[in-house]
Amino acid sequence: MSMKSILLALGTTICLFPVAASAVELSGASLDLGYSAFSDDNDISRFAAKGAVEIGFSSSFATQIDLSFYSYGSTSDNGSTVTAHAIYRASDVSAFGVFYGQDDLAGTADYYGLEAGYDLGGFDAEIYVAAFDDTGSEGTLFGLSARTGLGQGFGLGLSLDGASYNLGLDLTRLAVQADYTLSPMTTLYAEIGNLDANAFGLSGSETFFGIGARINLGTTRGATFSNRGLLAVLPGL
């Protein structure tokens, strides 16, 4: 049995096992609208609309569905991503999950992986690793992020994401994000980062910036995990 089949079976078991004994409720949801572009060429940009809904089956088990749409400045192609997460909440501050999703941009790419999150209120962190299959090529995705509150509604975060294709393409995205909480539901953010790409013996590095707003709903004030997929990593095309 392949690792993909094992993860899908595990995710189905996590989500379905508690249903008979527990009430189903909407535990969290989020909507994120953002714009990003490269500093040297603003035409290479991206507008993103990312949503997530989390359904809780008990205090320990939940499922999360993500749906994202991307519009790019230098190409007529628009992208979309859908991801399903199966979540086990090990404690009030930690959660583990498996996920499966698909990127769609002039062709589709499936991905599946493992993730973990830690949330103390004033400090939170996530880590994930995934494999993907993109019409004739395969590769891996990975990422980690952390955020800490600074007081008076301000926060500061750091994220690192990467992708590696077996055809010789490697991407690394490093970003620093600052945010301000307007209300318990609404957060504004800005980020600056660097995208490093290596392909077929050539390499390049470019600075990008981004701004956005995020609305969190539900008893958990948002979804447990961030959006996944290669399109979520790219700041612009």
Side-chain angles (χ1 to χ4, degrees), residues 87-91 93-97 115-119 224-225:
I87 301 168
Y88 170 63
R89 302 189 185 108
S91 69
V93 299
S94 61
F96 301 90
E115 57 195 350
Y118 187 77
D119 189 350
T224 297
F225 291 112

Side-chain angles (χ1 to χ4, degrees), residues 87-97 115-128 143-149 223-226 228:
I87 301 168
Y88 170 63
R89 302 189 185 108
S91 69
D92 291 339
V93 299
S94 61
F96 301 90
E115 57 195 350
Y118 187 77
D119 189 350
L120 280 176
F123 175 82
D124 60 82
E126 282 187 40
I127 186 171
Y128 72 91
L144 55 91
S145 61
R147 177 195 177 276
T148 185
T224 297
F225 291 112
S226 302
R228 303 293 181 227

Side-chain angles (χ1 to χ4, degrees), residues 23 28 30 37 47 55 59 78 80-82 86 91 101 113 125 129 143 163 171 179 183 209 212 232:
S30 66
F47 173 77
I55 305 296
S59 60
N78 294 323
S80 63
T81 298
V82 60
S91 69
V129 61
L171 300 173
D179 61 70
S183 71
F209 65 91

Side-chain angles (χ1 to χ4, degrees), residues 2-237:
S2 69
M3 179 59 68
K4 177 180 178 180
S5 299
I6 293 172
L7 291 177
L8 289 174
L10 177 60
T12 302
T13 301
I14 288 174
C15 287
L16 295 182
F17 178 76
V19 171
S22 306
V24 177
E25 65 172 359
L26 176 64
S27 57
S30 66
L31 175 62
D32 188 317
L33 301 177
Y35 171 82
S36 58
F38 288 99
S39 58
D40 285 348
D41 189 348
N42 295 161
D43 289 336
I44 305 178
S45 61
R46 183 192 74 178
F47 173 77
K50 299 182 288 185
V53 175
E54 185 172 319
I55 305 296
F57 301 115
S58 70
S59 60
S60 298
F61 298 95
T63 186
Q64 176 184 325
I65 304 298
D66 305 334
L67 184 60
S68 303
F69 296 95
Y70 303 99
S71 177
Y72 299 98
S74 64
T75 175
S76 59
D77 289 328
N78 294 323
S80 63
T81 298
V82 60
T83 309
H85 309 249
I87 301 168
Y88 170 63
R89 302 189 185 108
S91 69
D92 291 339
V93 299
S94 61
F96 301 90
V98 296
F99 60 91
Y100 176 82
Q102 186 178 84
D103 283 329
D104 189 349
L105 177 67
T108 60
D110 297 331
Y111 55 87
Y112 51 91
L114 302 170
E115 57 195 350
Y118 187 77
D119 189 350
L120 280 176
F123 175 82
D124 60 82
E126 282 187 40
I127 186 171
Y128 72 91
V129 61
F132 67 88
D133 184 358
D134 180 8
T135 314
S137 65
E138 298 177 344
T140 57
L141 292 166
F142 72 89
L144 55 91
S145 61
R147 177 195 177 276
T148 185
L150 301 178
Q152 304 299 317
F154 291 95
L156 185 65
L158 179 68
S159 64
L160 174 66
D161 297 274
S164 179
Y165 281 83
N166 63 349
L167 297 180
L169 174 63
D170 296 297
L171 300 173
T172 303
R173 180 188 192 274
L174 178 65
V176 176
Q177 185 177 100
D179 61 70
Y180 177 68
T181 301
L182 286 176
S183 71
M185 292 192 306
T186 307
T187 300
L188 304 179
Y189 63 85
E191 68 176 346
I192 186 169
N194 184 80
L195 183 70
D196 186 81
N198 295 278
F200 314 114
L202 302 175
S203 62
S205 181
E206 198 72 45
T207 301
F208 66 88
F209 65 91
I211 55 173
R214 182 168 54 252
I215 298 174
N216 293 324
L217 302 171
T219 57
T220 60
R221 293 302 179 192
T224 297
F225 291 112
S226 302
N227 296 76
R228 303 293 181 227
L230 180 61
L231 298 185
V233 175
L234 294 173
L237 285 176

